[in-house]
């Protein structure tokens, strides 16, 4: 666990969990993003977890990590949030997650398994919650892990099926789920572009909303914004010709999180 606490922070301070990609580290994601710089002016805390795996990827495929309070990497990150609340004055009611690639996958996992902890997420070039586990099972693998079916965007389900999968990871939960921003590039050949629509299908079902509008060149040239419902719970951004991964839009993330 690495943490950035600005000298002038809010009381209590919102918490942003910024989660690195495969081969990355917490300090690397600190250096490669501007969340800490923005924390200096906006007063929030940033947690930068480091994956314990040898390859630096997050466990987003085991039933343990996918399931509420079962353990694994997801529970470890939740423990970091608890620690920041207790020891650094973090606001338990304003906790958010964001990440790139493997970190994006973990953001979806956290939103699905711990909707009682996280209020919003921003996902840069990931896959749907549970996709790696489902794909591994389909492929007949004894141990869930990296699987090309999901990575290549070929794991296709109905919105209802994706939503039911996410709900299965926290049985009996009746509360609300985090609002989600979904980013993906059309030329992503590491985590295929098909994952963009599958992830949108998943969260649109969770929030029981449908696509209401699209807007070209938003938030910038070459991107298309897809708004679901009234835009308060789910928005997607597709980058034409953008590869893996979509550049981080920190200010937009913070606006989405409600951190002014």
């Amino acid at each position: 666990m690495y943490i950035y606490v600005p000298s002038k922070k809010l009381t209590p301070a919102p918490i942003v969990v910024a989660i690195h990609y495969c081969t990355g580290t917490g300090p690397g994601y600190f250096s490669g993003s501007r969340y800490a710089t923005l924390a200096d002016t906006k007063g929030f805390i940033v947690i930068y977890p480091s994956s314990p795996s040898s390859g630096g990827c997050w466990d987003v495929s085991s039933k343990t990590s996918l399931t509420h309070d079962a353990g694994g990497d997801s529970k470890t990150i939740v423990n970091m949030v608890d620690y920041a609340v207790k020891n650094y004055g973090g606001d338990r009611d304003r906790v958010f997650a964001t990440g790139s690639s493997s970190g994006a996958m973990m953001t979806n996992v956290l939103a699905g398994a711990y909707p009682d902890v996280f209020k919003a997420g921003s996902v840069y070039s990931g896959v749907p919650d549970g996709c790696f586990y489902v794909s591994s099972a389909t492929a007949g693998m004894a141990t869930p892990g990296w699987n090309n079916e999901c990575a290549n965007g070929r794991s296709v389900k109905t919105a209802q099926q994706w939503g039911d999968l996410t709900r299965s990871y926290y049985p009996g939960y009746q509360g609300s789920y985090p609002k989600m921003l979904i980013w993906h590039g059309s030329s992503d050949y590491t985590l295929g572009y098909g994952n963009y629509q599958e992830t949108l299908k998943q969260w649109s079902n969770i929030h029981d909303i449908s696509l209401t509008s699209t807007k070209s060149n938003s938030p910038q040239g070459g991107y298309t914004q897809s708004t679901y419902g009234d835009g308060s719970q789910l928005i997607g951004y597709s980058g034409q010709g953008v590869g893996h991964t979509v550049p981080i839009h920190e200010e937009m993330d913070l606006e989405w999180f409600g951190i002014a």
Side-chain angles (χ1 to χ4, degrees), residues 180 182 200 203-204 209 226-228 231-236 256:
M180 302 296 289
I182 311 299
L200 287 171
W203 292 111
S204 67
I209 50 180
S226 295
T227 300
Y228 288 73
S232 65
Q233 297 299 310
L234 177 63
I235 294 178
W256 185 248

Side-chain angles (χ1 to χ4, degrees), residues 107-140:
T107 298
N108 275 326
V109 168
L110 291 170
Y114 296 94
D116 54 334
V117 175
F118 296 90
K119 304 304 180 186
S122 183
V123 176
Y124 289 93
S125 310
V127 305
D129 177 28
C131 183
F132 266 33
Y133 180 82
V134 171
S135 296
S136 299
T138 301

Side-chain angles (χ1 to χ4, degrees), residues 24-87:
T25 64
Y29 210 58
F30 161 81
S31 300
S33 62
R34 295 187 297 113
Y35 295 113
T37 299
L38 291 165
D40 286 334
T41 59
K42 297 182 182 293
F44 61 92
I45 292 169
V46 193
I47 294 173
Y48 298 95
S50 269
S51 168
S53 75
S54 59
C57 296
W58 295 98
D59 174 11
V60 295
S61 58
S62 74
K63 196 65 176 290
T64 298
S65 192
L66 289 167
T67 304
H68 181 80
D69 272 350
D73 287 356
S74 62
K75 179 60 175 176
T76 298
I77 291 174
V78 170
N79 290 343
M80 295 177 188
V81 171
D82 290 340
Y83 188 88
V85 169
K86 295 173 184 176
N87 294 279

Side-chain angles (χ1 to χ4, degrees), residues 129-131 134 160-169 202:
D129 177 28
C131 183
V134 171
Q160 185 69 46
Q161 288 172 326
W162 281 123
D164 287 345
L165 188 64
T166 291
R167 285 182 285 268
S168 75
Y169 295 136
Q202 185 171 56

Side-chain angles (χ1 to χ4, degrees), residues 192-208:
Y193 185 57
N195 285 302
Y196 176 61
Q197 286 299 331
E198 297 307 300
T199 305
L200 287 171
K201 284 158 63 176
Q202 185 171 56
W203 292 111
S204 67
N205 180 264
I206 288 292
H207 290 294
D208 193 23

